[in-house]
Amino acid sequence: MTGSQSGAEGVRLQKVLAAAGVASRRVVENYIVEGRIRVNGTVVTELGTRIDPEKDLVDVDGTAVQLDVSKRYVMLNKPTGVVSSMRDESGRPDLRRFTKVYDERLYNVGRLDAETSGLLILTNDGELAHVLAHPSFGVTKVYIAKVEGAVTAQTISKLTKGIELEDGPIKADKARLLDTSRGSSLVELTLHSGRNRIVRRMMAAVGHPVTELVRRQFGPLHLGTLPAGKSRELTKIELGALLTLSRQDSGVAEAPGEQENE
């Protein structure tokens, strides 16, 4: 990773950040003088600082900035019945119906089962997609599961203390009962595991099979009021939080074919 450059090489930091939409050049210059900007983890205070936008990592007030304006980041509320791929060999509905409205070729970060709805990220940032989708990175996800039967406080406790599955022990970071009525319950589960169909397997293991499942949160991103089947671009605040998260661990090991699939 190259460091900041004060010579003739590279592009002036304030020009790059202004082009990235952070603020005007004049405001960015104030940020530099105030020590609010870091390049590759080092605070820079020289107005003549030049960087390589393709290699250097910049953050403002601790929040990462995407210098490549060609990158696009989209939040999709994936509906049920749609597979998390760009082309399904079985001919089932896929994600192309949602990506075709964008000029860039977008791909999904991780996966959701066809029967699972909720928050899915679409992007053309391959590096970010690889890091965030990799099981060892452990992005926190929040799910709302509608399950069969009346879930008790003891069952909630069991989910957070840990249960044994066929591929090893697992426990929820958080679990809470939202509602119980007419022979079913709503349970909110917070997990950082990327294991296959983990929510459905956990709930089945405690005697409450899932009938409906939605992912409400992925890392710092919240689904909010985005309707099923709709998408929107991430706000600058959301993107900054997501990039900051993805840069916390640049040493994610390669594991071809191993992706989350809730």
Side-chain angles (χ1 to χ4, degrees):
M1 191 66 66
T2 61
S4 58
Q5 307 164 38
S6 56
E9 295 183 4
V11 185
R12 282 185 178 271
L13 181 57
Q14 56 264 49
K15 179 179 181 180
V16 174
L17 290 181
V22 171
S24 68
R25 292 194 194 188
R26 181 66 57 85
V27 171
V28 172
E29 287 175 356
N30 291 336
Y31 288 173
I32 294 173
V33 173
E34 293 166 2
R36 296 169 62 181
I37 298 176
R38 296 188 304 174
V39 178
N40 301 325
T42 301
V43 174
V44 295
T45 55
E46 296 180 20
L47 290 178
T49 298
R50 293 173 179 267
I51 67 169
D52 182 344
E54 294 185 6
K55 295 181 180 179
D56 291 329
L57 299 179
V58 178
D59 66 76
V60 179
D61 293 334
T63 298
V65 177
Q66 176 54 272
L67 304 179
D68 186 349
V69 295
S70 71
K71 294 292 189 286
R72 189 182 289 270
Y73 306 86
V74 172
M75 178 190 298
L76 169 69
N77 185 348
K78 187 191 81 67
T80 56
V82 175
V83 296
S84 295
S85 67
M86 291 303 153
R87 186 178 295 275
D88 182 60
E89 294 179 357
S90 302
R92 294 173 296 176
D94 55 42
L95 295 173
R96 285 177 295 171
R97 63 178 62 189
F98 306 108
T99 60
K100 65 183 180 182
V101 299
Y102 299 99
D103 294 334
E104 299 84 358
R105 294 185 64 184
L106 304 182
Y107 300 92
N108 48 300
V109 176
R111 302 177 184 184
L112 291 173
D113 285 341
E115 304 83 18
T116 301
S117 64
L119 200 163
L120 196 61
I121 302 169
L122 304 173
T123 184
N124 59 347
D125 186 340
E127 184 176 351
L128 175 133
H130 171 72
V131 172
L132 293 182
H134 200 282
S136 67
F137 191 65
V139 178
T140 298
K141 281 94 63 172
V142 178
Y143 298 86
I144 305 292
K146 183 178 181 180
V147 302
E148 296 177 8
V151 174
T152 64
Q154 288 80 5
T155 297
I156 294 295
S157 177
K158 188 181 296 185
L159 289 167
T160 55
K161 288 181 178 178
I163 56 176
E164 192 72 32
L165 299 178
E166 65 273 11
D167 55 352
I170 185 72
K171 62 180 180 178
D173 298 335
K174 298 177 184 176
R176 64 184 180 125
L177 178 62
L178 302 179
D179 185 47
T180 298
S181 64
R182 298 177 183 175
S184 65
S185 303
L186 282 181
V187 177
E188 181 184 85
L189 286 176
T190 301
L191 300 159
H192 63 269
S193 170
R195 284 153 65 176
N196 189 48
R197 298 176 66 87
I198 191 64
V199 175
R200 295 179 185 275
R201 292 194 290 131
M202 287 178 71
M203 295 311 301
V206 294
H208 296 280
V210 171
T211 56
E212 294 178 33
L213 184 62
V214 57
R215 181 161 72 186
R216 296 289 310 172
Q217 186 177 337
F218 183 92
L221 305 182
H222 298 257
L223 197 58
T225 58
L226 186 66
K230 299 297 183 181
S231 64
R232 66 169 177 82
E233 294 197 50
L234 298 188
T235 66
K236 285 202 181 310
I237 292 175
E238 289 173 331
L239 176 56
L242 195 65
L243 290 172
T244 301
L245 173 68
S246 72
R247 291 178 186 177
Q248 288 176 0
D249 183 1
S250 58
V252 174
E254 293 288 337
E258 185 182 0
Q259 288 198 64
E260 62 155 344
N261 190 11
E262 309 295 1

